[in-house]
Amino acid sequence: MSKPLPVDCSKLVLPDLVIIASETELVIRKSPKFSPGGFLQSLLSSVATGQGSLNQIASELKDRTHAAMARQSMHDRFTTKSTAFLMAVLCDLMEQRFKPAGTALVGTGILRIVVEDASGLSFPKANAEDFPAHGNHHGKTAGVKIDLAYDLLSQTIISHSLEAATTQDKTIGKEVIVAIGPGDLVLRDMGYFSLSEFGEIELRGAWWLTRLPLTTGVLLENGKPLETRLNSRKQDILDLKISVGEVAKKCRLIAVRADEKVARSRRDERRKKAKQAGKKPCRMGLIRDGWHLMLTNLKKEEMKIFQLVAIYRARWAVEIQFRAWKQALNLDGALNRKSNEHHMQGLVLAGMIAHQLGMKIAGVLMGQVGRARLSYERLYDILGLAFIKLKDFADLTNFSPDLRHISRGKNATQSPIESAILALD
């Protein structure tokens, strides 16, 4: 029986850290105690182990340069220049592109499926002055929010930004709209729901697909509330022309009846929360809990119901990747400290760079492993160990995990991304 060969990452293109360090003035003159590659690799190792203190980063750097640096010297390295260096590395990784998997989209008119999600990271409240978050009844809190937008089909990252923890998702979502063009399909979760933004997407010649928030009113063509139809109709699937919100925006609503267990669980949770608040459960909410509700500007002749459902299911891929990234790294441990603004930003940016590298490596390996078989959870776990073990950042091009260790099991269900592509094929 032949042994599976390791997969090949030799085609992975990495940023030129020496040039970036020179341009951002992180390095003005060479020192045996400091190198841009060793600095970045030490940060990647720190966020993987959760050991992110200045002493620990200096110790990590010593393992790579073989020259000791004092804690104060490491503290002095974290300035606007270190932040600029890490931001430039992140931007360089984002500018590189993978080969699009557009062959499955022939005849559909859809060129990209753009999806966006955000993940919050908490800091100790002592950092609240530099990184304010929404306070609670115990006082100030601290944290940041990481936002990711990318094309599900080609795995191309469109934007990856570090935002204030107090910034709403729908505010961040406005920045992504400028990258939308004809032929794009934008998937939006309820946190990014904005009728005005949907209008802007349409003006750009693109389509949008979103879940329906409970607080958003919907009227049927006859002027009656949506709930009258949901409450009386016996069919399990509805495809309706409706108007949404106070602006009465015209669009298409897809309603798929939820499984009895799902509906019961939603309603039990709604009743429980209402009881805790001393209120009665919202009748409109109880009715909607029995359905999966989506809105879109795609017409019936452009996209069938089963395709829309499969595509929106693919949005889970973002959450899968964020979860895999967080599990593989120990950002909570690394960030669990009070330090200067640029040290904390450096750790967060190192985490974002690790995420970019994971996505890029996934794109390289996908052609060898297969899109449906690649397991992000397994890949990120192995990559996290690599960040700890690698002595030089450039050695990532030699990253060669066993195919069996990054593949989904033979009996695993179809990946969300694969289901979306098959729906369009």
Side-chain angles (χ1 to χ4, degrees):
M1 183 176 178
S2 62
K3 182 180 179 182
L5 294 174
V7 291
D8 179 19
C9 273
S10 60
K11 295 181 181 179
L12 180 67
V13 180
L14 298 175
D16 190 324
L17 300 184
V18 174
I19 291 178
I20 294 175
S22 176
E23 290 176 344
T24 58
E25 298 185 351
L26 176 71
V27 175
I28 297 176
R29 58 181 178 273
K30 291 184 178 180
S31 167
K33 296 182 180 180
F34 188 88
S35 70
F39 178 62
L40 177 57
Q41 185 56 40
S42 298
L43 284 173
L44 290 172
S45 179
S46 293
V47 296
T49 61
Q51 307 298 311
S53 71
L54 293 169
N55 277 332
Q56 288 155 340
I57 296 172
S59 177
E60 288 279 354
L61 185 59
K62 179 185 175 183
D63 290 343
R64 292 165 173 83
T65 61
H66 307 291
M69 176 179 282
R71 178 190 182 281
Q72 185 59 44
S73 297
M74 179 56 70
H75 176 277
D76 294 342
R77 282 288 181 175
F78 282 100
T79 64
T80 55
K81 294 177 181 178
S82 65
T83 300
F85 167 74
L86 294 170
M87 285 294 295
V89 172
L90 188 63
C91 290
D92 186 284
L93 288 168
M94 284 173 57
E95 287 174 2
Q96 299 173 31
R97 292 292 181 259
F98 300 142
K99 183 179 179 180
T103 55
L105 302 178
V106 175
T108 66
I110 292 177
L111 303 179
R112 299 191 300 177
I113 298 180
V114 181
V115 61
E116 184 177 12
D117 203 3
S119 182
L121 295 172
S122 298
F123 290 169
K125 63 181 180 181
N127 295 289
E129 184 175 343
D130 292 326
F131 302 95
H134 294 287
N136 55 34
H137 59 280
H138 296 296
K140 294 181 178 180
T141 58
V144 295
K145 184 178 288 187
I146 294 174
D147 188 82
L148 170 71
Y150 76 105
D151 174 20
L152 278 174
L153 298 174
S154 67
Q155 297 294 288
T156 300
I157 297 173
I158 296 168
S159 72
H160 199 169
S161 60
L162 177 63
E163 307 287 344
T166 52
T167 307
Q168 291 186 340
D169 289 349
K170 62 175 62 178
T171 301
I172 301 172
K174 293 180 180 179
E175 300 173 8
V176 175
I177 299 299
V178 298
I180 301 303
D184 288 346
L185 171 58
V186 183
L187 303 192
R188 281 279 158 105
D189 199 11
M190 290 187 286
Y192 295 88
F193 187 91
S194 170
L195 294 177
S196 61
E197 295 301 316
F198 297 148
E200 178 63 28
I201 291 170
E202 291 170 4
L203 289 175
R204 292 175 174 270
W207 298 284
W208 53 269
L209 175 64
T210 180
R211 284 196 294 161
L212 174 66
L214 173 64
T215 54
T216 302
V218 175
L219 295 179
L220 304 172
E221 285 187 297
N222 60 10
K224 293 184 178 180
L226 169 66
E227 288 69 33
T228 60
R229 191 70 172 271
L230 297 180
N231 211 22
S232 62
R233 185 96 176 190
K234 293 183 179 180
Q235 280 84 351
D236 293 332
I237 298 175
L238 297 172
D239 192 343
L240 307 170
K241 291 181 179 180
I242 49 91
S243 56
V244 188
E246 294 181 359
V247 297
K249 182 171 181 58
K250 306 292 183 181
C251 58
R252 178 185 178 193
L253 179 138
I254 305 299
V256 179
R257 193 180 297 277
D259 178 85
E260 283 189 23
K261 282 188 177 180
V262 173
R264 190 184 310 116
S265 175
R266 289 175 176 176
R267 287 165 178 156
D268 287 347
E269 183 66 20
R270 187 177 301 281
R271 291 187 178 102
K272 179 181 176 182
K273 289 182 178 180
K275 186 176 181 179
Q276 291 173 344
K279 300 178 181 178
K280 290 184 178 181
C282 172
R283 181 176 176 276
M284 181 175 73
L286 291 172
I287 295 173
R288 291 191 182 185
D289 284 340
W291 297 82
H292 302 294
L293 303 171
M294 297 182 296
L295 302 177
T296 185
N297 66 327
L298 280 160
K299 298 180 176 61
K300 291 182 180 181
E301 57 270 22
E302 293 174 324
M303 192 68 67
K304 297 177 181 178
I305 293 176
F306 83 91
Q307 291 178 310
L308 291 170
V309 173
I311 290 171
Y312 198 85
R313 190 184 297 122
R315 193 190 180 282
W316 297 342
V318 185
E319 297 177 23
I320 290 170
Q321 289 154 6
F322 262 135
R323 185 176 67 240
W325 168 66
K326 279 190 168 183
Q327 287 175 348
L329 299 184
N330 192 352
L331 277 168
D332 288 341
L335 298 172
N336 188 24
R337 65 194 73 258
K338 170 69 174 82
S339 189
N340 72 69
E341 175 184 359
H342 294 290
H343 176 203
M344 299 298 283
Q345 277 190 336
L347 291 169
V348 175
L349 288 168
M352 294 170 68
I353 288 170
H355 193 194
Q356 285 274 355
L357 287 168
M359 294 293 292
K360 289 183 69 61
I361 289 172
V364 172
L365 300 183
M366 203 170 286
Q368 303 168 60
V369 179
R371 182 187 294 271
R373 291 192 64 200
L374 181 64
S375 167
Y376 284 96
E377 291 89 346
R378 294 180 180 182
L379 173 60
Y380 273 83
D381 282 342
I382 295 174
L383 188 57
L385 293 174
F387 289 146
I388 298 170
K389 294 178 180 179
L390 290 177
K391 294 302 180 182
D392 191 289
F393 180 68
D395 290 341
L396 271 177
T397 56
N398 299 321
F399 179 63
S400 56
D402 191 310
L403 181 140
R404 295 169 298 184
H405 299 160
I406 60 172
S407 300
R408 296 159 59 85
K410 291 183 179 179
N411 297 324
T413 56
Q414 193 177 73
S415 73
I417 297 175
E418 188 70 7
S419 70
I421 292 177
L422 290 177
L424 289 168
D425 194 7

